[in-house]
Amino acid sequence: RKTLSTFLLLYCEHSVFVLEEEVNLNCPPLGLESLKVKDGQLRASSYKRRGLGPHRSRLNIQSGIEDGDIYDGAWCAQHKDEQQWLEVDARRLTRFTGVILQGRNSIWRWDLVHTYKVQFSNDSLVWKPSMNGTEEAVYEGNQDTETPVLALFNTSTVARYIRINPQTWYQNGTEGDICLRAEVLGCTLPDPNNIYPWQTEPTESKDKLDFRHHNYKEMRKLMKLVHEACPDITRIYSIGKSYTGLKLYVMEISDNPGKHELGEPEFRYVAGMHGNEVLGRELLLNLMQYMCQEYKRGDQRIVHLVKETRIHLLPSMNPDGYEMAFKKGSELAGWALGRYSYEGIDMNHNFADLNSVMWTAIELETDRSKLINHYFPIPEQYTSEEAFVASETRAVINWMQNIPFVLGANLHGGELVVTYPYDMTRDWAPREHTPTPDESFFRWLATSYASTNQVMSNPDRRPCHNKDFLRYNNIINGADWHIVPGSMNDFSYLHTNCFEVTVELSCDKFPHASELPIEWENNRESLLVYMEQVHRGIKGVVRDKDTEAGIADAIIKVDDIDHHIRSVADGDYWRLLNPGEYQVTASAEGYFPSTRTCQVMYEHYPTLCDFRLTKMPKQRLKEILAKGGKLPKDLQLRLRQLRLRKLRCEYALIA
């Protein structure tokens, strides 16, 4: 038996002796699920139709709503016999250690493989079976269609090709088909002679970060290490607890952590709303490490972000769900384990449905001047203790209400696309383009992430599951994809000043740890570029003309955009806008409104647009009398004029 470093492949005409190793190595997946394995590397003995071809044999691939289209949920053989096979070409010598199998994803069919054999080859002509002692090994497959089942080989085998050969399957009388989804585990052998240079893909990152999956304790430890490395620009705080008592930790990055600075916008990233969509969690942990390192190194881009922005990173909104998925591992968690909260709540549908409140008001109110278009109040039934609202959702809502966020993004997984509000259709149609008044800016936000993401922007990439988002330039209105009532994005837009999009980061919800460095490389620029968009548009302070004090809750209205925002406690505000000229009006209770023209340029900084509002005489009088003060002469004169005007009107009516 040869060692791994000195193995020889012995050819005898068409025969190949495939070397075996007794010990199973901890090898990563080849990448059927992550699309690292290309469609051309997959072959099959037969298939029923294009939509059930070998390219659909990827672990966790999701079918379209209608069976029979080109996006079905597995490879399915045309024939029903023991000679059917699915073949994977690793394209270079690989030490194969195991296979993971799933049944067919379908809402109409129940097809799965119960047992199977495995064969190996170096030329796809001569095949050697996987053995169990002196007999050909038969591996256990699936008992349901969704649970991934791992089979580790008794002896790892070095080869280029591997075949999965179903032996028994769910018959369902005569209706059952041979269908499966799979992942193959294997370690690529070293290539010291550079025989396969064209196949060498980058697997590392130039950044020295902690690339691995972090459970709750490890996440907390890493955040503490970042804070200790950069205590002057970081702060760790908790916004609440999960159902099981795990804290929802946030890392703040700012040159003055713990304090809102006048004129400085607040930004947030939220990850892990679905606990099994883990890439966002790791990217945010990488991001806080990276920003700390680069700030200390003097990288001017990062220094500027830290000094001009207050950044909040919530890496795990659903830590209970994550812990469930983490215990199973990246390939065995399946498509849904850990998605929901401990109570079984999907937090992506758990925010107050303010869309329905808004559209109902529009239908019932005849006087459009009485309609509101922002800061919609939360319905009373939603805030009651009996409401089916996750403790994690309540904590995030309180966080959104307490910090004046301007821009945010919600990081998900399982697709490659950026979605923007609204996420819900007006008439509950299954899907329909449903734009906000800020459609053009939301499209810009989504594009800023998608166009700088190395995978999304690749014109040659294949679709993840059942929709080709390349046709939409990798961005889509949420409601035009599928409806999500009670989404975080819509709630944020309708209840606060904050604009928010959803970023679907990868086809694979739970990438293997070996893929994390390249996923960071794919997303690093996008994460930074998107944060920088918080500085687009206009910003300013609304002040009292006499006292120069900031005015809170002043309404900022932009002509021709039917969505207002408000100033915060110190009177400062931020209004995200695309380049152009805008008529902007600031108004506040007890003040005369003020309008001015604000020009937004293409530079990466906002246009200053301050307002000084004059108090109405009635408001000034009320404040002076409340303090027991004397009326100033200008106010006395103004009141005298108002009385005279009133008397003249009364006299005219009598006459």
Side-chain angles (χ1 to χ4, degrees), residues 74-273:
W75 160 66
C76 290
Q78 182 178 6
H79 308 293
K80 302 176 185 180
D81 57 50
E82 296 177 5
Q83 279 68 55
Q84 303 306 304
W85 46 260
L86 173 74
E87 179 181 302
V88 181
D89 177 4
R91 287 189 171 170
R92 55 188 295 179
L93 292 173
T94 301
R95 183 170 291 280
F96 294 110
T97 60
V99 166
I100 300 170
L101 225 60
Q102 260 178 331
R104 177 180 177 180
N105 176 255
S106 171
I107 60 175
W108 310 109
R109 299 276 304 188
W110 182 270
D111 295 311
L112 51 96
V113 169
H114 290 314
T115 61
Y116 61 98
K117 295 179 179 179
V118 175
Q119 293 97 34
F120 307 97
S121 175
N122 282 333
D123 59 4
S124 78
L125 298 173
V126 177
W127 293 86
K128 177 177 178 178
S130 175
M131 301 297 288
N132 183 11
T134 59
E135 297 182 349
E136 189 170 355
V138 178
Y139 297 99
E140 291 294 324
N142 302 101
Q143 297 303 315
D144 65 68
T145 58
E146 291 301 324
T147 304
V149 175
L150 168 66
L152 290 173
F153 306 145
N154 293 324
T155 54
S156 61
T157 302
V158 174
R160 171 173 166 173
Y161 301 90
I162 182 172
R163 277 184 180 176
I164 300 170
N165 172 212
Q167 296 297 295
T168 61
W169 52 93
Y170 179 67
Q171 299 283 351
N172 192 24
T174 59
E175 296 296 316
D177 288 321
I178 298 174
C179 299
L180 63 84
R181 294 175 286 167
E183 182 61 88
V184 175
L185 306 182
C187 296
T188 303
L189 296 191
D191 184 21
N193 297 321
N194 203 30
I195 299 172
Y196 309 99
W198 67 91
Q199 296 174 23
T200 304
E201 295 183 0
T203 58
E204 297 299 325
S205 169
K206 62 183 178 62
D207 299 318
K208 304 303 178 185
L209 307 175
D210 188 5
F211 294 118
R212 61 191 174 97
H213 290 294
H214 298 78
N215 64 18
Y216 177 74
K217 289 182 179 179
E218 292 165 341
M219 178 189 75
R220 187 172 59 182
K221 182 179 179 181
L222 186 145
M223 293 175 74
K224 185 180 178 184
L225 289 173
V226 172
H227 173 61
E228 289 171 350
C230 293
D232 295 335
I233 62 165
T234 62
R235 177 176 74 104
I236 302 171
Y237 65 96
S238 170
I239 62 171
K241 293 183 179 180
S242 71
Y243 182 83
T244 65
L246 301 181
K247 290 184 178 180
L248 307 183
Y249 286 113
V250 177
M251 174 67 79
E252 178 189 341
I253 302 176
S254 168
D255 63 337
N256 195 356
K259 181 182 178 184
H260 172 74
E261 296 182 73
L262 189 73
E264 187 169 284
E266 310 255 2
F267 176 92
R268 70 167 180 258
Y269 273 131
V270 176
M273 172 183 279

Side-chain angles (χ1 to χ4, degrees), residues 262-554:
L262 189 73
E264 187 169 284
E266 310 255 2
F267 176 92
R268 70 167 180 258
Y269 273 131
V270 176
M273 172 183 279
H274 294 146
N276 63 331
E277 297 170 14
V278 306
L279 181 56
R281 175 192 185 106
E282 298 308 323
L283 288 177
L284 292 192
L285 294 177
N286 294 154
L287 181 62
M288 59 184 73
Q289 295 172 75
Y290 177 79
M291 293 191 73
C292 172
Q293 292 176 8
E294 294 302 298
Y295 183 86
K296 291 170 73 173
R297 202 170 63 85
D299 182 323
Q300 285 306 298
R301 182 185 191 183
I302 301 302
V303 169
H304 182 265
L305 260 176
V306 172
K307 288 185 176 295
E308 300 298 325
T309 321
R310 191 179 178 208
I311 300 162
H312 305 258
L313 308 177
L314 171 59
S316 187
M317 181 178 166
N318 181 6
D320 294 347
Y322 176 85
E323 293 300 305
M324 285 189 276
F326 180 81
K327 287 173 184 175
K328 277 287 185 181
S330 61
E331 275 64 60
L332 299 179
W335 190 250
L337 180 66
R339 173 186 177 92
Y340 305 101
S341 74
Y342 189 86
E343 302 168 272
I345 297 173
D346 187 339
M347 296 180 203
N348 202 34
H349 297 256
N350 199 221
F351 288 79
D353 174 14
L354 301 182
N355 305 62
S356 295
V357 173
M358 173 180 64
W359 289 322
T360 299
I362 290 172
E363 289 176 5
L364 297 179
E365 183 56 67
T366 55
D367 184 355
R368 295 194 64 83
S369 65
K370 294 181 180 179
L371 291 172
I372 60 173
N373 65 13
H374 70 295
Y375 272 45
F376 285 86
I378 299 175
E380 189 174 335
Q381 67 269 21
Y382 182 89
T383 59
S384 70
E385 292 185 7
E386 293 74 31
F388 196 52
V389 182
S391 55
E392 297 89 341
T393 308
R394 293 184 192 272
V396 169
I397 289 174
N398 289 335
W399 185 45
M400 295 163 75
Q401 292 173 331
N402 291 333
I403 295 179
F405 292 111
V406 178
L407 179 62
N410 190 7
L411 307 183
H412 285 243
E415 256 301 349
L416 277 167
V417 68
V418 183
T419 74
Y420 58 89
Y422 292 120
D423 290 325
M424 182 178 169
T425 56
R426 187 163 177 169
D427 57 359
W428 289 81
R431 54 179 291 261
E432 183 179 60
H433 187 84
T434 310
T436 67
D438 286 285
E439 166 85 354
S440 63
F441 192 79
F442 271 118
R443 288 184 62 83
W444 167 259
L445 286 174
T447 300
S448 71
Y449 198 102
S451 64
T452 53
N453 181 279
Q454 292 184 20
V455 180
M456 290 187 199
S457 59
N458 179 1
D460 298 322
R461 75 172 180 88
R462 58 152 286 167
C464 289
H465 297 285
N466 51 51
K467 196 171 183 71
D468 185 3
F469 289 110
L470 273 170
R471 294 169 52 199
Y472 305 88
N473 293 318
N474 304 299
I475 70 169
I476 194 169
N477 172 255
D480 201 18
W481 180 17
H482 58 82
I483 63 168
V484 183
S487 79
M488 186 171 168
N489 291 355
D490 289 2
F491 177 84
S492 181
Y493 183 70
L494 294 174
H495 185 66
T496 74
N497 288 337
C498 186
F499 287 28
E500 187 156 5
V501 302
T502 291
V503 182
E504 299 280 353
L505 293 163
S506 67
C507 302
D508 188 349
K509 287 186 176 185
F510 201 142
H512 190 269
S514 62
E515 296 168 9
L516 295 178
I518 196 63
E519 289 290 6
W520 166 250
E521 288 294 316
N522 291 339
N523 286 277
R524 178 184 57 223
E525 181 65 14
S526 308
L527 290 165
L528 297 175
V529 165
Y530 186 80
M531 280 195 287
E532 290 167 341
Q533 304 315 303
V534 77
H535 295 286
R536 286 198 172 272
I538 62 174
K539 76 170 187 177
V541 182
V542 184
R543 301 182 188 275
D544 184 300
K545 186 178 180 181
D546 297 323
T547 66
E548 290 295 310
I551 301 173
D553 277 332

